[in-house]
Amino acid sequence: MNFLLIFAFLFFIGSCLGWCLELLFRRFVSANNPQRKWINPGFLVGPYLPLYGFGLWGMFVISCCIMNFAADNIYLNVIMVFVIMSVTMTVIEYIAGLIFIKGMKVKLWDYSSEKFNVKGIICPKFTAIWGLLGTGYYFTVNTHVIDWVIWLSQHLAFSFFIGMFFGVFIIDLSYSLQLSAKIRSFAAEKELVIRYEELKDFIREQREELEEKRRFLLAFQTESPFREQLEKFIESSVERQKQKLEEAEEAIKKVKDEVKSRLAGEDDDNQRNH
């Protein structure tokens, strides 16, 4: 079967399933969503995440290669698959993160709060998570994916629906790139990088305050000009940073006062003992 068709099929399946996975993760697990609201994840408008599409394609190719080098020892196979999947998915995530930060001045995800992170794009915690997901895929899902590919080779008429998917995807990509061009221009002017999810949350909060219509898909569409929303977002971010700084200074002052009080108490005890 045509290699390009296989890639298109896997990209279609991975993007859609990955979107569902992220949607549920953000709704029920993510600490960045304490209100437990439904959030449309990702850069695009529609229900698909290209990162997972490339990820599924990569895992499928790697799995096919690993099968040729599988050892008889199951534990050795698990370790080998875990390491290879971890490295591969982390590299894909790192490249995707750099493309958006360097090329579009946008940070789609932020691991800055995680230990040993690299530029807030990758970190050991999520490398391990990718490894677990990749290992789970190899031992439980990959055989089904192979069956899907075989099924597609026997039902090429389904490629019509794949074509429809990519038609909608290209329109969505065009719209999202136009939006990102506005964000990139604004970010370059202000010499900063926009945290995409924070901007999305801010606009959602603004819309709720103004009692505008809620939008799950068109998250950035508001009744006021988009640049005005960006300006407000920056002002809000600066205020939040000032507040965090003041809270940190207050906490440091409190610790200093406690230390001084404790030292003074120890001096008094020493003087009494002498």
Side-chain angles (χ1 to χ4, degrees):
M1 187 169 51
N2 188 290
F3 176 80
L4 184 61
L5 182 57
I6 294 176
F7 167 76
F9 177 67
L10 294 176
F11 184 86
F12 160 62
I13 296 295
S15 297
C16 295
L17 292 181
W19 183 87
C20 294
L21 181 65
E22 281 286 336
L23 182 70
L24 296 174
F25 174 80
R26 292 166 190 257
R27 175 65 174 81
F28 298 106
V29 180
S30 177
N32 295 324
N33 182 24
Q35 298 85 8
R36 296 300 168 214
K37 296 183 178 180
W38 291 104
I39 298 174
N40 182 19
F43 172 70
L44 301 172
V45 173
Y48 29 72
L49 289 175
L51 179 63
Y52 283 85
F54 286 111
L56 178 59
W57 177 75
M59 288 192 295
F60 176 77
V61 173
I62 291 170
S63 297
C64 292
C65 295
I66 291 176
M67 288 178 181
N68 297 324
F69 300 97
D72 294 332
N73 190 316
I74 182 63
Y75 300 105
L76 183 61
N77 281 337
V78 170
I79 294 173
M80 177 180 66
V81 171
F82 178 83
V83 172
I84 294 175
M85 290 295 185
S86 298
V87 172
T88 302
M89 295 304 297
T90 299
V91 168
I92 292 175
E93 187 176 40
Y94 185 71
I95 293 173
L98 279 183
I99 289 174
F100 278 97
I101 291 176
K102 299 295 184 182
M104 301 182 182
K105 302 296 182 182
V106 168
K107 182 175 280 190
L108 291 183
W109 59 88
D110 190 4
Y111 299 153
S112 298
S113 60
E114 301 291 342
K115 293 182 179 179
F116 311 113
N117 71 85
V118 179
K119 299 180 181 180
I121 302 175
I122 57 174
C123 67
K125 174 182 174 180
F126 279 87
T127 293
I129 291 174
W130 286 126
L132 291 173
L133 289 174
T135 304
Y137 163 84
Y138 178 81
F139 288 103
T140 61
V141 180
N142 188 59
T143 53
H144 298 293
V145 174
I146 293 174
D147 290 339
W148 295 345
V149 172
I150 295 173
W151 178 88
L152 179 64
S153 66
Q154 298 170 351
H155 300 81
L156 292 179
F158 186 77
S159 59
F160 170 76
F161 295 99
I162 299 176
M164 289 181 60
F165 163 80
F166 275 95
V168 174
F169 177 81
I170 291 172
I171 295 173
D172 190 340
L173 181 63
S174 176
Y175 167 81
S176 299
L177 287 176
Q178 290 179 11
L179 183 66
S180 73
K182 296 179 181 179
I183 297 176
R184 182 175 65 247
S185 176
F186 180 84
E189 179 184 322
K190 301 293 183 180
E191 297 182 348
L192 46 78
V193 174
I194 301 292
R195 288 180 171 84
Y196 203 76
E197 293 299 329
E198 287 186 9
L199 174 59
K200 189 183 293 186
D201 290 340
F202 175 78
I203 291 179
R204 186 185 68 232
E205 292 172 359
Q206 290 288 301
R207 189 183 296 122
E208 290 176 353
E209 289 180 7
L210 297 174
E211 297 182 351
E212 294 182 10
K213 181 180 178 182
R214 293 185 180 181
R215 300 177 188 274
F216 178 72
L217 294 178
L218 300 175
F220 293 108
Q221 189 171 355
T222 62
E223 295 177 4
S224 56
F226 185 58
R227 183 177 179 84
E228 181 180 320
Q229 292 293 334
L230 288 172
E231 293 283 0
K232 290 181 180 179
F233 170 69
I234 297 302
E235 292 175 3
S236 175
S237 298
V238 171
E239 288 298 322
R240 284 200 302 270
Q241 292 300 323
K242 285 183 179 178
Q243 184 177 356
K244 288 181 180 179
L245 182 60
E246 291 173 358
E247 291 175 354
E249 291 175 346
E250 186 66 27
I252 292 172
K253 182 177 180 300
K254 185 177 180 180
V255 171
K256 285 182 177 179
D257 292 340
E258 290 178 354
V259 171
K260 287 180 180 179
S261 177
R262 189 176 301 170
L263 291 175
E266 290 177 357
D267 289 341
D268 291 340
D269 292 339
N270 291 334
Q271 288 177 3
R272 291 193 195 98
N273 292 333
H274 287 297

